[in-house]
Amino acid sequence: FSAYRVRIRNIYPGRTEPNLLAETNHYVRLYNKRVVRFRDSAVHDTVETGTRRVGRLRAPISHFSGRSFEHIERKYDDYTTLQAQVLRKPIWWLLLRLPFEYPSAFVRFFILRGHFTGGRDGLRVSRIAARARMNRLRKMLAAHGGVWATFQ
């Protein structure tokens, strides 16, 4: 194999173990850099494997993505600012999504990604992520300038 996919289990700030049904991502993170590489993007950290075979590691990685909930909020704020600078979407698309972004993102994180099993911490992470997704659209609108600059 030229690359291996690994399960990454997210752990909430202040905890030492993931909750029972913790969000688990499956990413290529172990790879031969002479054969495959990261995608050339400032905002998408995907390893491009092409047609190469990808193995799967059995043991998961415990991922402590934030030292605190405030740290997670700052990371999201920095990341969405970068996305707004790099990604360009038409104004009509942003305006169409804006009213639905927070509720749909909250459902996606809290229910579909299993943060409901994390109790208050899962609720808090879901709210932070949904707010960040909505703010990303507002920043993208502001990047268009003119009257849209008031959306930031």
Side-chain angles (χ1 to χ4, degrees):
F1 296 109
S2 299
Y4 291 88
R5 189 172 307 280
V6 62
R7 284 184 306 150
I8 300 174
R9 309 230 24 226
N10 292 312
I11 301 176
Y12 299 130
R15 295 194 185 182
T16 57
E17 297 288 327
N19 53 310
L20 181 61
L21 298 174
E23 176 185 17
T24 302
N25 300 303
H26 297 84
Y27 294 120
V28 172
R29 286 297 181 258
L30 180 64
Y31 60 95
N32 181 340
K33 67 181 181 180
R34 291 174 294 190
V35 180
V36 299
R37 65 179 183 84
F38 265 92
R39 184 170 155 187
D40 187 23
S41 170
V43 294
H44 298 108
D45 63 346
T46 306
V47 176
E48 293 180 332
T49 57
T51 59
R52 305 220 188 290
R53 291 181 55 211
V54 177
R56 184 177 297 268
L57 299 179
R58 291 185 186 169
I61 291 175
S62 295
H63 185 227
F64 297 86
S65 64
R67 294 182 291 275
S68 66
F69 290 103
E70 293 76 19
H71 180 243
I72 291 172
E73 286 181 84
R74 286 191 306 274
K75 282 176 60 174
Y76 268 120
D77 186 50
D78 291 343
Y79 182 59
T80 57
T81 298
L82 179 62
Q83 286 180 314
Q85 293 167 355
V86 173
L87 303 175
R88 291 287 179 217
K89 301 290 182 185
I91 291 172
W92 66 266
W93 183 88
L94 297 167
L95 291 173
L96 188 64
R97 281 190 63 168
L98 193 59
F100 306 103
E101 191 68 14
Y102 183 90
S104 64
F106 180 80
V107 167
R108 186 169 56 250
F109 284 96
F110 193 65
I111 305 295
L112 300 179
R113 292 196 179 173
H115 285 291
F116 67 93
T117 65
R120 270 190 263 167
D121 291 342
L123 178 65
R124 192 166 180 188
V125 165
S126 299
R127 290 175 66 194
I128 290 169
R131 192 168 39 252
R133 297 286 300 188
M134 183 186 65
N135 286 339
R136 176 182 73 128
L137 296 183
R138 294 172 67 187
K139 291 174 184 181
M140 292 171 98
L141 272 170
H144 279 279
V147 67
W148 307 110
T150 60
F151 274 85
Q152 191 165 351

